[in-house]
Amino acid sequence: MTAMLNDLLDDLEDRGRLGDDDALYEAFAGWAESSGRPLYPHQEEALLEILAGNHVIAATPTGSGKSMIALAAHFVSLARGGRSYYTAPLKALVSEKFFDLVALFGADNVGMVTGDVSLNAAAPVICCTAEILANQALREGAGLDTDMVIMDEFHFYGDPQRGWAWQVPLLELTRPQFIAMSATLGDTSRFQAQWKQRTGRDVALVDDAERPVPLEFDYVVDDVHDTVERLLAEGRWPVYIVHFAQRDAVETAQSFDRRRLIDDDQKARIARALATVRFGRGFGQTLRHLLAQGIGVHHAGMLPRYRRLVERLTQQGLLAIVCGTDTLGVGINVPIRTVLLTSLVKFDGERMRHLSAREFHQIAGRAGRAGFDQVGFVRVLAPGHEVENARARARLSAAEENARDEREARRVAKKAKKRGAATRSPEKGQITWTRSTFERLRDAQPEQLSSQFAMTHSMVLNVLAGTAADAHRDPAEHLLALATGNDDPVRESNPHLRRLAEIYQSMRQAGVVDHVSSEQAASDGRPRLRLVADLPDDFALNQPLSPFALAALELLDPDSPAYALDVVSVVESVLEDPRPLLYAQQRTRRDQAMAAMKAEGLEYDERIARLDEVTWPKPLEDLLEDAFRTYVQSNPWVGDLEISPKSVVREMIENAQTFTELIGRYDVGRSEGVVLRYLTDAYRSLRQVVPESAVTPELRAIIDWLGALIRSVDSSLLDEWEALASGRAPAISEGDSGGASGAELAFGADEDGTVAFSANRHAFRTAIRTALFRRVELMSRDDVEGLARADGPAGWPAGRWDRELARYWAEHDWIGIDQRARSSALVSVIERPTPADFLDAGATEAVAEGAETMPGRLWLAAQTLVDPEGDMDWRLTVLVDVAESDRSGAVVLRPLAFGPR
């Protein structure tokens, strides 16, 4: 067994050779060879440069062993008694690297900070997201305790949203060595010059590595099915078929249904592997069917356990093709022999455009893996119109060759010439690609990384917080240096200075910062620009709005029947949006609103105008937005952010839905992984944000139910989080459930899945509101017969309804049934009414006395109507028979009164 690296360091220390660079080199190179991974020449070069104290830019191909260079940097730092940081763009990569380093250097020597989890944060080796290091660098400046910073996936420096986090440590930290690694850096001369100027250290560029598995590129004028058939026949599988939309990836996978891609032995092995995996309904059944035929699907919208299953089957050589998205460029743990791109055009969130050279090479670089392949194959399909035109030319050539005489050949050519005008071309305005596009991308170096620096409230406050602990740092000079000394090109007008002035002004107005006189600054030995109050330690981490959620909980009424759900809504408002689901909710509500407006008789133009106002459900929207405006005034660092009220967990509770039922209702099977991650974030936030003093028994039941539901769908996300929180390596689920445990249960359900109709009080109240509004819709149409049928013998007859409505029609022309009329605020429910409540509502004394002897059996509910004048003075009051509702499985109502309040 290979020795751990910390044992190697202990041995060097015992021999008194920790300060001997030659000994360190020999020890590390010997360890690499003994582990079966002898150093490549470029890795040896990088190690020598690290030992010489130089910065290193490792611009080496995918699969060339950048991880070994990072290990060498940690090894040298530990040997010299220093402290090294490893940063990456994704928390998953950070946690993976954390456990790798723990196995090599020992648990005491390695820590991790991601915003969600902080473990052994004082260790000499720290794994963290780039944002964490950036914020620490802003607070502590050049004094940050580190001598080595390893920045993985350094091409994220050019990411429009997150690039600032890669740049800030380079601006702030002047003492440590930097090791920047990526396969697609482009021209690095600018970095070499800047780093040398800022730190005085030499910068070594390691870019002469040969790719361990060379790539063969080709442009294919054929369709995907014929191309894949040839690749399989040539043994060039597994094939990763790259798309730029999840829908396209699934559709391509399904288009191979029933085609023979694998042999009977592979099918039998796959069947044995799938026999122990539980698949959910919807997409899960689709995936199972495809996997059985050797077809995989892999994209970010899938459940993690499904993605890991696809990766595992591919590693075992069982899948012929995997249809996925360009997330392959970030790296998936599968040996891919051929990368087949279906397009060179993608939608980047704003527009359709060609791939950049960096994107193309990130994806192409995944073909061919060391230890698996001698050559990696990259194929790019021509656009559909080019394939059709090529086939038409081939048919013409064949027809001309088969002509019996010269006369027939001329006739064929003449006919083809007439058809020439019908040659297919791209649709007008459509961005397409050609062989020239492919050749340009193939031969191009990745574009030069451009600065994405931005001044933010949190950046300013981090600097001020650091200054508060170090009186020798002048925050004004520091901030001006950031605004003017970053990597942006010099312009006539500096936008960062304008933004800095805006941030400063907002903080002065909020009373968060103060600018004192020179005399006062001199007398107390502190800078003129200073913080007035202490900041929370974690305000700039991954959940910057959590403090707002905590503050907003104070606005809720703990005695309200909806308190537990309102707490859920507060937490949901600060979570990242699961957009596919929210858009599906919006479509559903718009369909409902359109049907209601048609029934109301509104003109088309008015319907369309009103439809623009319909969005997904946003509980507590007014309360939360008012509270947030107030919160921003005293906490301006959140001014760059926005809350987002939504109802996902709340809707599931109110409608007694399981995960599968939610996915099925809104037809978002392709994005079920996105929804599950959202539910996991909600569960973690409910546990972390809500103080124990605010957790009622009902809220505790909701939190416990949500955790159990997530585990029943896919336990991996929660298992990983809880393992990391306790410092354990998360286990990869390969058991009988394939990462799922137990059956999905709706909130309030028994163990067998049965939900007594009134057991889930939130769902029951929702059903009451729905039943009441159904009667409002019938009333709006003056459908007295329908109203009589709705409540059966216990209700009012048609004649009674006719008389009651006649009084309303004498005052108003219509009853509103649009989205505003559906508001839950127009419904009141009293779950334990007193005899006085019954009498006030219009019930007889006998009903009031009977209800008192059986408390909880009868509820009172009232629906306020929306009228043309907006008086909102008419309402329908009903009795709700809880026991009968449970027996019948539907809300049983009995009208009590209708009239002005």
Side-chain angles (χ1 to χ4, degrees), residues 734-778:
E734 295 190 26
D736 292 342
S737 62
S741 58
E744 293 182 34
L745 296 177
F747 183 70
D750 297 331
E751 290 186 3
D752 63 357
T754 302
V755 181
F757 200 64
S758 66
N760 180 340
R761 286 297 197 249
H762 304 293
F764 190 47
R765 283 195 289 266
T766 299
I768 292 170
R769 290 200 301 269
T770 300
L772 276 170
F773 198 76
R774 172 60 182 154
R775 284 150 182 80
V776 172
E777 291 177 317
L778 292 170

Side-chain angles (χ1 to χ4, degrees), residues 387-417:
V387 174
E388 285 300 315
N389 291 340
R391 288 179 171 175
R393 289 193 297 271
R395 287 193 294 269
L396 172 60
S397 297
E400 289 177 332
E401 280 188 21
N402 294 330
R404 287 170 295 183
D405 52 36
E406 186 176 343
R407 182 179 178 184
E408 184 176 348
R410 286 198 301 270
R411 184 181 61 80
V412 169
K414 185 176 181 181
K415 187 175 180 180
K417 186 176 181 180

Side-chain angles (χ1 to χ4, degrees), residues 105-406:
F105 292 109
D108 291 341
N109 287 325
V110 186
M112 177 174 64
V113 185
T114 65
D116 288 337
V117 175
S118 177
L119 296 173
N120 198 18
V125 177
I126 293 294
C127 301
C128 64
T129 51
E131 286 82 357
I132 296 295
L133 177 61
N135 287 326
Q136 288 186 343
L138 286 165
R139 283 203 177 195
E140 300 187 39
L144 181 67
D145 180 17
T146 179
D147 71 322
M148 190 79 69
V149 174
I150 298 104
M151 307 180 87
D152 205 354
E153 305 291 345
F154 187 71
H155 58 272
F156 269 79
Y157 175 96
D159 184 83
Q161 283 74 46
R162 305 178 61 193
W164 69 271
W166 270 260
Q167 184 174 164
V168 161
L170 299 170
L171 300 174
E172 293 287 291
L173 307 178
T174 55
R175 292 194 302 109
Q177 290 176 257
F178 283 95
I179 315 298
M181 306 186 302
S182 173
T184 56
L185 288 181
D187 180 12
T188 63
S189 57
R190 178 166 53 94
F191 295 123
Q192 293 170 258
Q194 288 174 345
W195 298 2
K196 169 72 173 177
Q197 180 182 13
R198 286 174 183 153
T199 67
R201 292 181 187 265
D202 289 334
V203 183
L205 174 63
V206 178
D207 65 348
D208 56 352
E210 290 189 13
R211 182 182 168 87
V213 180
L215 297 180
E216 177 189 293
F217 293 85
D218 198 7
Y219 184 78
V220 182
V221 185
D222 207 345
D223 67 25
V224 66
H225 299 100
D226 291 344
T227 302
V228 167
E229 187 176 321
R230 282 196 304 275
L231 290 170
L232 296 183
E234 295 163 354
R236 297 176 177 181
W237 60 278
V239 181
Y240 193 97
I241 308 177
V242 183
H243 306 75
F244 296 97
Q246 295 172 8
R247 178 192 298 273
D248 295 339
V250 176
E251 288 179 353
T252 296
Q254 291 176 313
S255 74
F256 282 94
D257 189 16
R258 307 300 180 187
R259 290 174 179 257
R260 185 172 178 80
L261 304 178
I262 56 176
D263 59 32
D264 292 339
D265 178 63
Q266 286 172 292
K267 286 186 177 181
R269 291 173 61 192
I270 290 174
R272 288 194 295 271
L274 299 186
T276 59
V277 179
R278 181 170 68 84
F279 290 88
R281 298 197 299 271
F283 178 74
Q285 295 305 313
T286 298
L287 180 64
R288 181 189 185 100
H289 177 72
L290 292 171
L291 290 174
Q293 302 174 77
I295 304 166
V297 178
H298 193 287
H299 60 70
M302 294 169 60
L303 295 179
R305 65 186 178 98
Y306 289 160
R307 288 204 312 275
R308 288 171 178 165
L309 173 62
V310 171
E311 292 168 11
R312 192 164 69 246
L313 293 177
T314 311
Q315 289 166 349
Q316 295 169 4
L318 298 179
L319 301 184
I321 63 174
V322 179
C323 299
T325 58
D326 57 326
T327 52
L328 173 77
V330 181
I332 61 173
N333 189 25
V334 293
I336 295 298
R337 182 160 297 163
T338 299
V339 168
L340 176 62
L341 287 92
T342 59
S343 174
L344 293 179
V345 172
K346 69 178 291 186
F347 180 69
D348 63 6
E350 296 181 0
R351 60 188 177 89
M352 296 295 295
R353 61 168 175 81
H354 288 125
L355 297 182
S356 67
R358 173 169 290 104
E359 290 167 332
F360 178 80
H361 287 289
Q362 280 289 136
I363 299 167
R366 296 299 169 182
R369 304 301 296 266
F372 290 95
D373 305 314
Q374 297 300 313
V375 178
F377 302 95
V378 181
R379 299 290 182 264
V380 175
L381 292 178
H385 73 273
E386 186 176 343
V387 174
E388 285 300 315
N389 291 340
R391 288 179 171 175
R393 289 193 297 271
R395 287 193 294 269
L396 172 60
S397 297
E400 289 177 332
E401 280 188 21
N402 294 330
R404 287 170 295 183
D405 52 36
E406 186 176 343

Side-chain angles (χ1 to χ4, degrees), residues 641-654:
L641 306 171
E642 294 181 358
I643 60 169
S644 177
K646 48 193 165 289
S647 180
V648 177
V649 178
R650 181 167 186 149
E651 178 178 318
M652 295 177 73
I653 296 168
E654 290 181 324

Side-chain angles (χ1 to χ4, degrees), residues 88-92 94 113-117 128-133 135 162 164 537-547 574-576 641 681 684-685 688:
L90 304 176
K91 286 184 284 187
V94 171
V113 185
T114 65
D116 288 337
V117 175
C128 64
T129 51
E131 286 82 357
I132 296 295
L133 177 61
N135 287 326
R162 305 178 61 193
W164 69 271
D537 290 337
D538 58 353
F539 81 92
L541 298 182
N542 288 5
Q543 293 292 343
L545 288 179
S546 293
V574 301
L575 299 179
E576 185 176 349
L641 306 171
D681 287 344
R684 285 160 35 182
S685 294
Q688 292 177 323

